[in-house]
Amino acid sequence: MMSDWIEGTKPKYIEARYSCYLNWDLEELGIDWDEIEDWDLCRADLKITFKDGTEKVFENWHGVDVDYKHNFEEVLILDEDWSQVEGLNWLKNY
């Protein structure tokens, strides 16, 4: 029965995930791959650590258009602690 929830597990949020692609043109940014020590992504920011120890962050917030019809990936049903509620989540099958 849907109303018999264990304490704290009752669904509180419905979250949908869509995919979109962001890209950074290294040549356009004046970056030589051989000079990169490490890189990291956080949202639409690419952080590059160069071999000389310097770091640069390259934002890519422009042109972020999500195709809500074709790029749907999953729906998560989450409880009050943002944990997935077992048996109610949906993942797109490719």
Side-chain angles (χ1 to χ4, degrees):
M1 182 175 197
M2 294 294 279
S3 62
D4 295 333
W5 299 103
I6 297 172
E7 183 67 31
T9 65
K10 183 176 180 179
K12 183 171 181 178
Y13 308 100
I14 297 176
E15 179 175 87
R17 180 168 56 104
Y18 295 85
S19 66
C20 70
Y21 294 91
L22 300 177
N23 67 63
W24 293 262
D25 184 325
L26 299 179
E27 184 177 326
E28 186 178 292
L29 295 172
I31 298 171
D32 179 352
W33 179 261
D34 294 329
E35 299 298 319
I36 296 174
E37 178 70 29
D38 196 14
W39 59 270
D40 192 19
L41 291 172
C42 181
R43 298 183 187 94
D45 294 338
L46 169 66
K47 181 174 103 174
I48 294 181
T49 304
F50 294 93
K51 290 180 179 177
D52 68 2
T54 60
E55 293 182 348
K56 278 187 148 181
V57 175
F58 301 90
E59 295 180 348
N60 191 355
W61 293 99
H62 62 279
V64 179
D65 293 324
V66 177
D67 180 347
Y68 291 102
K69 182 176 181 181
H70 298 103
N71 288 337
F72 176 74
E73 297 214 358
E74 71 180 337
V75 171
L76 300 177
I77 308 299
L78 306 169
D79 65 19
E80 63 188 33
D81 295 324
W82 293 91
S83 298
Q84 292 184 27
V85 177
E86 190 173 333
L88 297 179
N89 301 286
W90 185 87
L91 178 64
K92 179 179 179 179
N93 294 322
Y94 290 95

